[in-house]
Amino acid sequence: MILTVTLNTALDVTYRVPRLLAHASHRVTEVTERPGGKGLNVARVLAAIGHEVTATGFAGGPTGHLVRELLASASPGVRDELVPCAGTTRRTLAVVDEASGDTTQFNEPGPLITAAEWSVFLSRYEALLTGGARAVALCGSLPPGVPVGAYATLVRAARAAGVPVLLDTSGEALRRGVAARPDVIKPNAAELAELTGSRDPLPATRDARRRGAHAVVTSLGPAGLLAATALGTWRAAPPRTLTGNPTGAGDSAVAGLLSALTEGLAWPDRLTRAVALSAATVTSPTAGAFDPHTYEEVRGSVKVTEGA
């Protein structure tokens, strides 16, 4: 079983409009709703590619209730171990401009998590780690009330249980989490620059390893992934630039990395799967899903270069 953690879950709402214009009214041509937050996106992709997956984190209020309903009905293969909270789960709104293919994103803040709710979550998390987890993904922002060092605590718990852990967050939560020595971190270029102070991805990726991460995989947007590990450095790029909705593309990359890790694949194969899933997510019409045809097409054409 692969465990995903989404402390700041969301209801992802996607609107499609013919053209997005400032200061104008818009007729929405299509609306979709699905469970969201980075870890739930990761869980959905993992289940879609055949892995047993359990999702934990927080869910509360009417929005949280809808997230759990949709998780049960529209996310087959994802086991729900979300912890109830008194606050209301946030919503995120993605507006897709059909004329340009661009997406505009609006993210609400999360619910206030109490100390008692955090304590309940920690007990649930530790039980899941020792209950058969083969790997864990810690993903996304921290809701209000959760300690800023929360991910460092969760990384240490995973390492104590002997479970490989991937961390995908940003800011101070990432800075503190890296110091706890996760097996993998997956920042994007901007998050990596904030962590290290360098805007050159290659030395910044290596610097992030020196700060504690055993391996660093950096998202370079349409250019693919850059990985620095104890075994070497690689760049992996899709065969062509793909346009569409990038929401969830990084989460699909996490699913690719984590699934390949549990299968014992070598780093070039992990990166190939991650790039192909990420690219296939961009071409999907719905945030947090991937297009199987694009996945198969790209997977056979990913260019992986060693010693980048």
Side-chain angles (χ1 to χ4, degrees), residues 250-289:
D251 306 329
S252 291
V254 169
L257 292 169
L258 211 57
S259 62
L261 182 155
T262 62
E263 294 170 25
L265 300 186
W267 271 104
D269 296 320
R270 298 185 200 181
L271 297 171
T272 294
R273 181 180 294 180
V275 167
L277 282 171
S278 181
T281 300
V282 172
T283 61
S284 172
T286 304

Side-chain angles (χ1 to χ4, degrees), residues 66-270:
L66 181 54
V67 164
R68 301 188 79 161
E69 282 189 341
L70 292 172
L71 198 61
S73 63
S75 299
V78 179
R79 176 184 164 197
D80 177 0
E81 286 286 349
L82 295 169
V83 174
C85 63
T88 298
T89 295
R90 66 191 177 121
R91 295 169 298 177
T92 68
L93 176 62
V95 183
V96 180
D97 184 330
E98 294 176 332
S100 66
D102 293 334
T103 301
T104 302
Q105 188 86 13
F106 300 89
N107 297 326
E108 295 180 356
L112 176 65
I113 303 301
T114 67
E117 290 165 345
W118 175 240
S119 179
V120 170
F121 168 79
L122 285 177
S123 296
R124 177 80 56 89
Y125 174 72
E126 290 170 358
L128 290 169
L129 285 176
T130 57
R134 298 176 59 200
V136 57
L138 308 175
C139 303
S141 60
L142 300 177
V146 170
V148 70
Y151 281 134
T153 299
L154 301 184
V155 168
R156 285 192 290 267
R159 292 185 60 78
V163 178
V165 55
L166 184 153
L167 176 62
D168 183 13
T169 187
S170 60
E172 187 63 21
L174 174 59
R175 190 180 309 279
R176 297 199 187 194
V178 166
R181 302 186 62 79
D183 294 272
V184 186
I185 64 170
K186 197 216 67 63
N188 60 34
E191 293 162 349
L192 183 67
E194 183 181 9
L195 174 67
T196 65
S198 172
R199 296 198 172 275
D200 187 334
L202 183 55
T205 299
R206 289 170 173 161
D207 180 32
R209 282 200 69 230
R210 289 191 291 270
R211 292 168 183 260
H214 291 270
V216 180
V217 181
T218 304
S219 296
L220 302 176
L225 299 173
L226 170 65
T229 79
L231 299 176
T233 303
W234 292 270
R235 287 182 187 265
R240 57 187 173 85
T241 300
L242 299 164
T243 59
N245 183 358
T247 304
D251 306 329
S252 291
V254 169
L257 292 169
L258 211 57
S259 62
L261 182 155
T262 62
E263 294 170 25
L265 300 186
W267 271 104
D269 296 320
R270 298 185 200 181

